[in-house]
Structure formats: C-alpha cells, structure tokens
Amino acid sequence: MMSQLAEWQKIDAFRRFPFPRLSYVFKVFIPGSSWCRKLDTSMRKWIKKGVSLPARACSSFIYTPQALGGLGIPRCEDKMHIARAAQAFKFLADTRDPIPSGLLLSNNSKAYLNSPYVSHLQGGPGCLPQHTCSIPGRSQGRRKESLEFNSASIVSNGSEISWHKRDRINQSLKEATLGRHLTELLQAPDQGRASFSTCLAAASNYFTYSGAYLTFAQYRFALRAHLSLLPTKTVQARSGKVLPDTRCRHCHQVPETLSHITNHCLHNMGLIRERHNAVLERLIRAIPPSMGDKFKEQPLPNTTGANHPDLTVVAPDGRSALLVDECIPFEGSPEALQEAAQEKLRKYEPLRQSLLGRFERVEVLPFIVKFRQLVPSQ
C-alpha cells in the first residue's frame, strides 16, 4: 500500500492477489472468527492509508461493491462465514453418499451430526434439526440471513436453492452480505449521502476503479469528497474542533460546507463556470454529426424568448429537435438529482410548446452531472 502505484491501481492489486488465495484457503481450511477479525482490522487500516482516507472513513465503503459506490474489497470474516455455511449445505445435499451413521436425535427433534466435515458449523460438532432449521451461532455471524436446511434444498435470503443447484449457495450468500454493507453505508449520517444516487448506476462510480481523466491529487480529492471527509469548517466543528467562525473563509457570508464551496461560493465562480463549460464541451464532442446540427448556448433561428438551453440538436430531416441543458447539483439528499431534472423540464416546457409548431417532435433532456460523479438522466 506504500508503493508508487496510483490509488485505483492499489485497490485493483489488493482485490486480484491476496483474496483469490484466501478463497482457496477457505476451501480446504476454515480459520476461526477471531483470526479473520484481526486480519480485517489490519487490512482496513492499510487500505485507508493506501488510498489516503482518514481513519474515520466508513468501513462499509471499503466492502461495498464498486458498481454500487464502494471500493469492492471483500471482507475476510464474511468469506469465512459463507464458506462454513456453503460447505455444510454441499455436504448434506450430496446424494451420492448415504446419511452418516453418526446422526443422533434429541428430544427437541434436533440432529447432531458428529462428523469432521461439518464440525465448522459451530466450531465443534455440527448441530442441525432433523428437517428444517436456521443455522445458529457463528455460522450466521452478524448478517442475520435466514438459512433453512431440509433434505433437498436451502432457503437463503428468501430464495430456495435445491440440492442439484448447490453451487449457487456461495453467490447467494455473497449477494446478501454485499447488500448489508451497502445498507450500512447508506445509513451513515454524512458519508452515505452520495451513495443514495451513486448506487443507482455503475457509471456513477467509474472513477473508483479506473481513475480515468483524473490526476492522483484529483482522485484523492474525489474519494474524500464522495464521503464528505474534506476538512471544511463545518466538518471540523462537528468533529469537536473549536473554531471561532464557521463561515466561508473566502466570502464570509454563509457556513463553509462542501455544497457552498463547490456550487455557490462567489470566490469560486470562475472555476464553477470552467467546470460547466468543460462538461458541455465533452458532451458536444460525444454527439456524432449524424444526429444533426448543434447549436451551443444560442437560440434556434427565428425563435424568441429569454430561455435557451446549453445545447440544441436539430435532426437532419428537420422534423425533430432535442433541447439539452446541463445541470451540476450537489447531492445533499436522495431527491436532489430528480428535483434538478424536474426543474429543467419545467423551465423549458414553454419553449418546447412554442417549437411544436416548427417540429413534429421536441424533447427536453436534462443532462444531470452531480459534483461527485456522473449519473445518467432518466
């Protein structure tokens, strides 16, 4: 983690090399929970240090899949619990061997399977009911998933897996575990706000695993901004630091928040306009000439009105037009992006109605690009 690789390269190397070896180890030997927890604690410390995140960064961000807004690094204790439950089910669902003779019934209709193959269920002799049960103790760990066994199938996370599809048990338990990490990240008071929108589309999180179009410093800034960990005055005040004034250090008008710095501060308006123009230029370059004529920040010929979108595209046949307007809101709430899109639709609805006399079809496309990532508009 202290190498000269880029942060996203360190994450990729960490996912590709140590954990495949651990997966193989868990197939032949399953260590105890305490050993896995110690390993997870050490790895979290080195991962946060390697990607320049402070120690107070939410741990669930590390374990959440990259497509949902996290770093996508597996958790060793989760892999251990999944391996325990999966191996037990595969052993019990194997119809090639008869039921072992060590099966004893108790007064509570529980079956005790004294076999070294399933001794990992409770760290000792396996304990299963005769027909259906929920795996107790450490096999469930902290995940609280329901695992019900019977003679032919298992119910995991609400879906039934029959004995002849027992290889799916690993994937089913893995999906349930990853969903729990995402839920914990969304419930974080400040650090989970951006994840409400980034988990909707994988394109919102491309920078975490590719680093495309970003320098090393920009990547570290974006990663901290994603979790609201930039040292603004309001963040420092919430963490217990005593400050004489929490107002913006440049304009001295309002509290210094991440939203104010990136979207509203008059001192930064030049950079905000440059950001807007850079996104618009990339959008224009991405539209092929075959789509028609492009009018950048100018009204269509023979039209009146004060409102005109950032980009207007007229089809080659002259029968349709597309009004594209860019917006870069701050994702302070899950509804911020939808509200920004609806506002653009309301703003250009009169213009759209006036153009229906010239074109058979006119559409308004709010191109929503939030500060921390890109979210494709509906």
Side-chain angles (χ1 to χ4, degrees):
M1 282 298 175
M2 303 307 296
S3 69
Q4 299 301 315
L5 293 174
E7 279 76 4
W8 59 89
Q9 293 172 333
K10 294 177 184 178
I11 296 172
D12 185 62
F14 208 82
R15 294 174 61 248
R16 288 179 181 270
F17 295 105
F19 282 99
R21 287 165 173 76
L22 279 177
S23 299
Y24 173 76
V25 169
F26 288 155
K27 291 182 180 179
V28 295
F29 167 73
I30 300 180
S33 298
S34 60
W35 182 86
C36 292
R37 283 194 291 268
K38 290 180 181 178
L39 180 60
D40 285 330
T41 301
S42 300
M43 287 193 298
R44 280 196 300 269
K45 181 182 70 173
W46 284 105
I47 291 170
K48 291 179 181 180
K49 189 174 183 180
V51 298
S52 302
L53 285 176
R56 59 189 179 89
C58 182
S59 298
S60 296
F61 174 71
I62 298 176
Y63 305 127
T64 301
Q66 290 180 328
L68 298 177
L71 299 183
I73 295 177
R75 184 167 175 257
C76 182
E77 189 176 5
D78 289 339
K79 295 176 74 68
M80 180 269 297
H81 287 307
I82 291 173
R84 283 182 173 180
Q87 288 188 17
F89 175 66
K90 290 180 181 180
F91 174 77
L92 295 176
D94 191 352
T95 59
R96 297 173 297 178
D97 297 329
I99 298 298
S101 58
L103 188 64
L104 302 176
L105 299 180
S106 68
N107 294 332
N108 296 327
S109 299
K110 291 186 177 181
Y112 294 86
L113 191 57
N114 297 318
S115 170
Y117 294 101
V118 292
S119 61
H120 54 262
L121 279 175
Q122 290 183 321
C127 176
L128 290 174
Q130 185 178 8
H131 298 293
T132 305
C133 78
S134 296
I135 297 181
R138 291 182 297 174
S139 294
Q140 283 185 337
R142 303 175 182 178
R143 298 197 320 275
K144 306 299 183 184
E145 275 86 39
S146 175
L147 303 175
E148 298 181 355
F149 284 77
N150 57 36
S151 59
S153 65
I154 177 175
V155 177
S156 172
N157 200 32
S159 60
E160 183 176 357
I161 302 175
S162 58
W163 68 268
H164 60 279
K165 295 182 179 179
R166 56 186 179 273
D167 290 338
R168 292 174 47 197
I169 181 64
N170 277 309
Q171 185 63 27
S172 178
L173 294 178
K174 180 181 177 181
E175 292 174 356
T177 302
L178 296 179
R180 178 178 63 86
H181 291 309
L182 176 61
T183 302
E184 292 178 356
L185 178 60
L186 296 178
Q187 292 175 350
D190 295 325
Q191 301 182 29
R193 288 186 178 182
S195 299
F196 277 103
S197 52
T198 58
C199 67
L200 300 177
S204 300
N205 312 290
Y206 76 96
F207 85 97
T208 59
Y209 52 85
S210 69
Y213 310 106
L214 295 176
T215 64
F216 291 178
Q218 290 171 346
Y219 183 91
R220 290 191 289 268
F221 179 88
L223 208 59
R224 291 194 176 202
H226 177 79
L227 295 175
S228 299
L229 292 174
L230 293 175
T232 61
K233 287 186 176 181
T234 53
V235 170
Q236 295 180 51
R238 283 199 301 266
S239 62
K241 186 176 181 179
V242 179
L243 298 174
D245 188 7
T246 59
R247 290 181 298 176
C248 177
R249 66 194 71 185
H250 294 299
C251 66
H252 306 285
Q253 298 295 324
V254 297
E256 186 181 86
T257 63
L258 185 60
S259 172
H260 171 73
I261 293 173
T262 58
N263 286 60
H264 306 291
C265 184
L266 295 178
H267 181 270
N268 298 328
M269 275 301 163
L271 296 175
I272 293 173
R273 283 193 296 269
E274 289 182 12
R275 179 184 62 187
H276 179 278
N277 295 335
V279 173
L280 183 59
E281 289 297 332
R282 285 197 60 190
L283 175 61
I284 293 174
R285 291 195 301 267
I287 298 176
S290 59
M291 289 190 62
D293 298 328
K294 292 175 281 189
F295 300 88
K296 174 187 173 183
E297 296 180 337
Q298 57 180 317
L300 289 174
N302 302 323
T303 58
T304 59
N307 289 337
H308 57 271
D310 293 325
L311 179 65
T312 304
V313 182
V314 179
D317 57 6
R319 300 174 60 183
S320 62
L322 180 64
L323 310 179
V324 184
D325 200 67
E326 175 194 342
C327 182
I328 308 180
F330 186 84
E331 61 278 25
S333 65
E335 299 80 16
L337 302 179
Q338 289 78 8
E339 291 175 356
Q342 293 298 323
E343 176 61 28
K344 292 295 183 182
L345 293 175
R346 288 191 296 267
K347 178 180 179 180
Y348 291 104
E349 179 61 22
L351 178 61
R352 190 187 76 85
Q353 293 291 341
S354 65
L355 292 177
L356 286 177
R358 295 180 52 187
F359 302 99
E360 296 181 5
R361 180 182 176 187
V362 180
E363 293 186 6
V364 179
L365 175 62
F367 189 73
I368 307 300
V369 183
K370 64 178 187 173
F371 159 66
R372 292 181 256 212
Q373 283 98 10
L374 165 67
V375 172
S377 172
Q378 296 295 333

